[in-house]
Every structure is written in structure tokens, then in C-alpha cells.
Amino acid sequence: MKNSLKQEFYKFNYQKTPIYGFLALLVLMIYTILSGNVNKSMITQAFGAGQWLSIIMITISSTFLTMEYKNNTMITLLYKSSSKLQVYLSKILVMIIYSIFLLVISFVFTLILKAISSGDKFSWSELYGQNTLFSGLILTLIGTFIYLLFTISFAFLLITLFKNKLLLYV
């Protein structure tokens, strides 16, 4: 499993899509600020990071797996590996770690954007609903992570089903 993870991280680091996903997140968060007035809801939702992250992760995870099938490296990986589960699990773990990275980046960028866009207008200890702004932001990011787990696994499932043509036999 350790060797499979090293291989997957190596392949993932040399693709351009992770960089594009990172840049797209930053640009889309800035776009969210520019498209409306900054309010408490926008801050607790991390300037739309939850919605943007789900779209970004669908794109990146499906591209990551589709590339393996396109280049016929998936067949080699499955042939050389002792367990098919290890191959797929290592790919999913790489995507989960990347999504955690994007969540941390969105948290830090939310702090920066809040300081730039609203300054001292909204305090992190201000109540929004039943929570403070800061705890609302943290809860939103935790919920986004849970949703991203589902999104990544569902994207992998669909790509695997279509590439293996299992849908034709059902």
C-alpha cells in the first residue's frame, strides 16, 4: 500500500490539474466577493468554497482516474499489484489528501479575504444563527469535507463503471 501511495502521489504531483484546481479555487472565491456584498453568510460559507470545491474535485478526481484508463496504465497497475483494492484505495486517498489541502487553503484564504474585504466590520466572535462566525466557518468546512468524500467516491465509481462497461451488462 505504501508503494502504491508513493506512485500515485508522484503521478499526481506531475500533472497540471492540481495547480489548475488550486488557482481556480482562489479565483472563484475572489469572484464570489466581487459579485455581491460581503455579509456574515458569505463569510461562514468561506466565500462559496464549498460549492466551488465540489465542482473542482469532481473535475480533478475524474480526470485523475480517466487519465489512467486513457494511457492504459490502469491495466498495468492492476496486473502488477497484488490487490485491486490497494490500487483504487491509493487513488482515493490521494484525492482525499488533496481535498484536505484545498480545504486548508480555502480556510486561510477566507481569513485573508475577510480581512481585506470587510476589515473590522464583522468580528469572528459575532453571532450568526446559533454559532459565531468562526465556528460557523469551521462547521461549513467540516461539512464540505464530508460532502467531498462522497463526491470523490461517487466520481470514481462512475468512471470505473463507464470504463469497465459494466453498465452495458446490467
Side-chain angles (χ1 to χ4, degrees), residues 104-122:
V104 169
I105 292 298
S106 65
F107 173 74
V108 171
F109 203 55
T110 298
L111 298 177
I112 293 168
L113 288 177
K114 187 243 179 231
I116 292 171
S117 65
S118 66
D120 294 334
K121 185 177 178 183
F122 302 112

Side-chain angles (χ1 to χ4, degrees), residues 32-97:
T32 303
I33 288 179
L34 297 176
S35 65
N37 294 330
V38 176
N39 54 28
K40 292 179 184 179
S41 173
M42 198 180 279
I43 294 170
T44 57
Q45 293 176 7
F47 299 106
Q51 297 94 2
W52 302 126
L53 277 173
S54 61
I55 294 169
I56 290 168
M57 286 309 297
I58 288 170
T59 306
I60 290 178
S61 59
S62 62
T63 302
F64 184 57
L65 192 59
T66 303
M67 178 205 63
E68 296 286 341
Y69 284 107
K70 181 181 176 187
N71 296 332
N72 290 328
T73 54
M74 185 59 102
I75 297 167
T76 307
L77 285 173
L78 294 174
Y79 178 73
K80 287 184 176 182
S81 177
S82 60
S83 170
K84 291 180 182 181
L85 180 65
Q86 280 184 352
V87 173
Y88 287 111
L89 193 60
S90 62
K91 289 182 181 308
I92 287 175
L93 284 175
V94 167
M95 287 294 104
I96 290 172
I97 291 170

Side-chain angles (χ1 to χ4, degrees), residues 125-157:
S125 59
E126 241 180 87
L127 285 178
Y128 178 70
Q130 297 177 359
N131 301 316
T132 63
L133 283 179
F134 189 76
S135 63
L137 173 65
I138 297 298
L139 288 173
T140 299
L141 292 176
I142 290 171
T144 301
F145 176 69
I146 293 168
Y147 183 69
L148 288 177
L149 290 176
F150 170 75
T151 303
I152 291 167
S153 58
F154 191 64
F156 271 44
L157 172 76

